[in-house]
């Protein structure tokens, strides 16, 4: 299993499940901050057409290209299904944001052999490691 830092360093495209159009929510601020530092953000939200200047998709399965990381801004109860979807699309890693923990989601990820992080924030890890994808 890769560390959180290795996952971020080696990922370029992040699908954000539960991305929000509300600038007051972390599910908007976090993906936008990652985008500002050079990651491509693919919003997954069935109620919007686009976010962050990118087309939004209703589900992970609807994304027509590979993603390097699935970032989850959904309640822990939904994480199990999201991890199953991530496995189905061949995503190499799943990241549950701060406050989201699921033993079942972890088990599914581990059995599928994909990297798994939970209860951690992308932008905190990005800042702590001084990481950027900008040239």
């Amino acid at each position: 299993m890769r560390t959180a830092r290795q996952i971020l360093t080696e990922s370029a495209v992040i699908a954000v499940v539960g991305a929000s159009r509300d600038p007051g929510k972390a599910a908007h601020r976090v993906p936008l901050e990652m985008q500002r530092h050079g990651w491509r953000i693919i919003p997954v939200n069935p109620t919007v057409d686009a976010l962050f200047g990118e087309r939004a998709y209703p589900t992970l399965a609807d994304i027509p290209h590979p993603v390097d990381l699935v970032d989850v801004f959904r309640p822990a109860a939904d994480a199990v299904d999201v991890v199953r979807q991530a496995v189905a699309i061949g995503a190499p890693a799943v990241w549950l944001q701060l406050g989201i923990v699921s033993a079942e989601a972890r088990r599914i990820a581990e059995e599928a052999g994909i990297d798994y992080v939970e209860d951690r924030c992308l932008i905190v890890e990005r800042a702590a490691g001084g990481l950027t994808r900008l040239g």
Side-chain angles (χ1 to χ4, degrees):
M1 288 284 170
R2 294 179 294 169
T3 66
R5 183 176 182 158
Q6 287 171 320
I7 292 168
L8 286 180
T9 299
E10 297 170 11
S11 297
V13 179
I14 303 172
V16 181
V17 178
S20 176
R21 69 178 123 207
D22 180 349
K25 291 187 174 183
H28 181 91
R29 292 187 315 269
V30 170
L32 189 58
E33 178 72 10
M34 294 301 289
Q35 186 182 58
R36 286 181 181 146
H37 283 276
W39 280 267
R40 181 173 182 203
I41 300 298
I42 307 299
V44 179
N45 180 326
T47 67
V48 297
D49 293 328
L51 279 172
F52 322 116
E54 291 275 357
R55 178 178 172 194
Y57 295 92
T59 69
L60 288 171
D62 294 313
I63 301 172
H65 52 77
V67 299
D68 302 312
L69 173 60
V70 174
D71 182 37
V72 183
F73 276 99
R74 299 290 305 142
D78 296 345
V80 171
D81 188 48
V82 174
V83 172
R84 283 191 182 113
Q85 291 175 42
V87 169
I89 67 165
V94 175
W95 188 299
L96 276 56
Q97 280 295 137
L98 197 60
I100 307 169
V101 176
S102 170
E104 179 70 4
R106 176 181 289 280
R107 183 190 62 75
I108 292 165
E110 287 175 351
E111 286 180 2
I114 67 173
D115 295 313
Y116 181 86
V117 175
E118 65 182 11
D119 194 24
R120 290 171 82 172
C121 181
L122 284 178
I123 61 174
V124 170
E125 297 297 324
R126 187 216 62 76
L131 305 174
T132 186
R133 294 203 60 84
L134 299 173

